[in-house]
mmCIF file of all heavy atoms in Angstrom:
data_model
loop_
_atom_site.group_PDB
_atom_site.id
_atom_site.type_symbol
_atom_site.label_atom_id
_atom_site.label_comp_id
_atom_site.label_asym_id
_atom_site.label_seq_id
_atom_site.Cartn_x
_atom_site.Cartn_y
_atom_site.Cartn_z
ATOM 1 N N TYR A 220 -14.381 -18.091 -25.971
ATOM 2 C CA TYR A 220 -13.261 -18.846 -25.408
ATOM 3 C C TYR A 220 -12.672 -18.174 -24.163
ATOM 4 O O TYR A 220 -11.507 -18.369 -23.830
ATOM 5 C CB TYR A 220 -12.177 -19.046 -26.471
ATOM 6 C CG TYR A 220 -12.678 -19.705 -27.736
ATOM 7 C CD1 TYR A 220 -12.180 -19.347 -28.983
ATOM 8 C CD2 TYR A 220 -13.663 -20.696 -27.685
ATOM 9 C CE1 TYR A 220 -12.635 -19.953 -30.139
ATOM 10 C CE2 TYR A 220 -14.128 -21.299 -28.830
ATOM 11 C CZ TYR A 220 -13.615 -20.927 -30.062
ATOM 12 O OH TYR A 220 -14.080 -21.528 -31.196
ATOM 13 N N THR A 221 -13.473 -17.371 -23.490
ATOM 14 C CA THR A 221 -13.036 -16.743 -22.240
ATOM 15 C C THR A 221 -12.709 -17.812 -21.210
ATOM 16 O O THR A 221 -13.403 -18.825 -21.100
ATOM 17 C CB THR A 221 -14.133 -15.803 -21.710
ATOM 18 O OG1 THR A 221 -14.339 -14.754 -22.655
ATOM 19 C CG2 THR A 221 -13.739 -15.200 -20.371
ATOM 20 N N HIS A 222 -11.667 -17.554 -20.427
ATOM 21 C CA HIS A 222 -11.237 -18.553 -19.443
ATOM 22 C C HIS A 222 -10.633 -17.865 -18.215
ATOM 23 O O HIS A 222 -10.349 -16.671 -18.219
ATOM 24 C CB HIS A 222 -10.221 -19.517 -20.068
ATOM 25 C CG HIS A 222 -9.048 -18.840 -20.739
ATOM 26 N ND1 HIS A 222 -7.932 -18.435 -20.054
ATOM 27 C CD2 HIS A 222 -8.835 -18.498 -22.028
ATOM 28 C CE1 HIS A 222 -7.066 -17.884 -20.893
ATOM 29 N NE2 HIS A 222 -7.595 -17.907 -22.102
ATOM 30 N N HIS A 223 -10.455 -18.640 -17.175
ATOM 31 C CA HIS A 223 -9.867 -18.209 -15.902
ATOM 32 C C HIS A 223 -10.701 -17.115 -15.232
ATOM 33 O O HIS A 223 -11.916 -17.170 -15.296
ATOM 34 C CB HIS A 223 -8.403 -17.815 -16.096
ATOM 35 C CG HIS A 223 -7.523 -19.017 -16.296
ATOM 36 N ND1 HIS A 223 -7.200 -19.495 -17.546
ATOM 37 C CD2 HIS A 223 -6.928 -19.854 -15.403
ATOM 38 C CE1 HIS A 223 -6.429 -20.579 -17.427
ATOM 39 N NE2 HIS A 223 -6.262 -20.827 -16.134
ATOM 40 N N TRP A 224 -10.071 -16.131 -14.593
ATOM 41 C CA TRP A 224 -10.777 -15.256 -13.658
ATOM 42 C C TRP A 224 -11.004 -13.864 -14.233
ATOM 43 O O TRP A 224 -10.087 -13.258 -14.805
ATOM 44 C CB TRP A 224 -9.983 -15.145 -12.358
ATOM 45 C CG TRP A 224 -9.765 -16.466 -11.693
ATOM 46 C CD1 TRP A 224 -10.652 -17.161 -10.915
ATOM 47 C CD2 TRP A 224 -8.585 -17.278 -11.743
ATOM 48 N NE1 TRP A 224 -10.107 -18.340 -10.477
ATOM 49 C CE2 TRP A 224 -8.825 -18.448 -10.972
ATOM 50 C CE3 TRP A 224 -7.335 -17.139 -12.354
ATOM 51 C CZ2 TRP A 224 -7.882 -19.458 -10.809
ATOM 52 C CZ3 TRP A 224 -6.393 -18.148 -12.203
ATOM 53 C CH2 TRP A 224 -6.666 -19.286 -11.425
ATOM 54 N N PRO A 225 -12.208 -13.306 -14.050
ATOM 55 C CA PRO A 225 -12.477 -11.943 -14.506
ATOM 56 C C PRO A 225 -12.053 -10.920 -13.446
ATOM 57 O O PRO A 225 -11.946 -11.241 -12.260
ATOM 58 C CB PRO A 225 -13.995 -11.941 -14.676
ATOM 59 C CG PRO A 225 -14.474 -12.890 -13.589
ATOM 60 C CD PRO A 225 -13.393 -13.947 -13.458
ATOM 61 N N THR A 226 -11.821 -9.703 -13.886
ATOM 62 C CA THR A 226 -11.607 -8.594 -12.951
ATOM 63 C C THR A 226 -12.498 -7.430 -13.372
ATOM 64 O O THR A 226 -12.789 -7.255 -14.563
ATOM 65 C CB THR A 226 -10.132 -8.135 -12.909
ATOM 66 O OG1 THR A 226 -9.695 -7.815 -14.237
ATOM 67 C CG2 THR A 226 -9.244 -9.218 -12.347
ATOM 68 N N LEU A 227 -12.899 -6.656 -12.397
ATOM 69 C CA LEU A 227 -13.780 -5.518 -12.643
ATOM 70 C C LEU A 227 -12.953 -4.242 -12.602
ATOM 71 O O LEU A 227 -12.220 -3.990 -11.638
ATOM 72 C CB LEU A 227 -14.889 -5.479 -11.586
ATOM 73 C CG LEU A 227 -16.086 -4.565 -11.862
ATOM 74 C CD1 LEU A 227 -16.862 -5.062 -13.083
ATOM 75 C CD2 LEU A 227 -17.005 -4.524 -10.640
ATOM 76 N N LEU A 228 -13.045 -3.433 -13.654
ATOM 77 C CA LEU A 228 -12.311 -2.179 -13.718
ATOM 78 C C LEU A 228 -13.072 -1.085 -12.970
ATOM 79 O O LEU A 228 -14.289 -1.173 -12.781
ATOM 80 C CB LEU A 228 -12.109 -1.772 -15.181
ATOM 81 C CG LEU A 228 -11.295 -2.745 -16.043
ATOM 82 C CD1 LEU A 228 -11.239 -2.260 -17.491
ATOM 83 C CD2 LEU A 228 -9.896 -2.903 -15.481
ATOM 84 N N PRO A 229 -12.373 -0.023 -12.541
ATOM 85 C CA PRO A 229 -13.059 1.081 -11.848
ATOM 86 C C PRO A 229 -14.199 1.677 -12.666
ATOM 87 O O PRO A 229 -15.162 2.195 -12.110
ATOM 88 C CB PRO A 229 -11.927 2.099 -11.630
ATOM 89 C CG PRO A 229 -10.678 1.278 -11.608
ATOM 90 C CD PRO A 229 -10.914 0.163 -12.576
ATOM 91 N N SER A 230 -14.103 1.593 -13.985
ATOM 92 C CA SER A 230 -15.142 2.138 -14.866
ATOM 93 C C SER A 230 -16.400 1.280 -14.882
ATOM 94 O O SER A 230 -17.423 1.683 -15.434
ATOM 95 C CB SER A 230 -14.590 2.245 -16.293
ATOM 96 O OG SER A 230 -14.270 0.944 -16.793
ATOM 97 N N GLY A 231 -16.324 0.081 -14.311
ATOM 98 C CA GLY A 231 -17.432 -0.859 -14.376
ATOM 99 C C GLY A 231 -17.304 -1.837 -15.526
ATOM 100 O O GLY A 231 -18.109 -2.766 -15.636
ATOM 101 N N GLN A 232 -16.309 -1.632 -16.381
ATOM 102 C CA GLN A 232 -16.058 -2.587 -17.457
ATOM 103 C C GLN A 232 -15.407 -3.852 -16.898
ATOM 104 O O GLN A 232 -14.854 -3.851 -15.802
ATOM 105 C CB GLN A 232 -15.167 -1.948 -18.524
ATOM 106 C CG GLN A 232 -15.814 -0.769 -19.223
ATOM 107 C CD GLN A 232 -14.845 -0.023 -20.130
ATOM 108 O OE1 GLN A 232 -13.626 -0.136 -19.987
ATOM 109 N NE2 GLN A 232 -15.380 0.762 -21.049
#
Side-chain angles (χ1 to χ4, degrees):
Y220 305 144
T221 297
H222 52 84
H223 286 94
W224 301 280
T226 55
L227 194 65
L228 298 177
S230 63
Q232 296 172 340

